[in-house]
Amino acid sequence: MITIWHNPRCSKSRQTLTLLEDAGADVTVRRYLEDAPSLAELQTARIALGTPPVVDMIRTGEKAFIEAGLSKTDSDDTLLQAMASHPILIERPMVFRDGKGVIGRPPENVQQLL
């Protein structure tokens, strides 16, 4: 089972979902803007992604990032909490399978999970 944290308004997210479906993957779609991940889920996602710097998981160009007074140099804890409070900040799409994860930028990254 593959889970995608999906935003249907995002072209990369749509492309990633299509790639998964075209490969015949059994996909669970989580619209993370409507069903926001908790702080604990974001921490688990980070581990699945290989524990990257949290700044690699956050959309620093979003208006909410600036409005929240955030900086790329903020602590990982601060950035994770910001993503839990403002899910629009979560880089998209994130795709998970069997405890491993990738960010679908580019969408072809998900081939690692197939």
Side-chain angles (χ1 to χ4, degrees):
M1 173 68 67
I2 292 178
T3 300
I4 181 172
W5 290 2
H6 180 60
N7 177 351
R9 295 180 50 114
C10 171
S11 64
K12 295 296 183 200
S13 194
R14 290 191 311 269
Q15 290 170 12
T16 301
L17 180 57
T18 297
L19 195 151
L20 291 167
E21 290 173 340
D22 287 352
D26 185 13
V27 181
T28 298
V29 175
R30 180 176 184 174
R31 292 186 175 200
Y32 69 93
L33 294 177
E34 299 163 12
D35 180 16
S38 67
L39 179 58
E41 288 175 305
L42 288 164
Q43 291 165 332
T44 299
R46 182 177 182 215
I47 292 167
L49 293 167
T51 319
V54 174
V55 73
D56 293 347
M57 298 171 56
I58 194 166
R59 299 179 58 81
T60 59
E62 286 289 335
K63 182 178 173 185
F65 186 86
I66 296 160
E67 288 176 346
L70 296 168
S71 165
K72 291 180 182 182
T73 59
D74 285 337
S75 72
D76 287 346
D77 289 340
T78 296
L79 295 176
L80 283 167
Q81 186 59 54
M83 288 189 289
S85 298
H86 307 283
I88 190 72
L89 296 176
I90 299 170
E91 184 60 89
R92 59 185 181 254
M94 289 192 191
V95 183
F96 306 97
R97 180 180 196 180
D98 298 330
K100 296 188 191 281
V102 296
I103 295 175
R105 289 189 171 267
E108 292 77 19
N109 283 350
V110 298
Q111 292 172 340
Q112 299 171 47
L113 301 178
L114 295 173

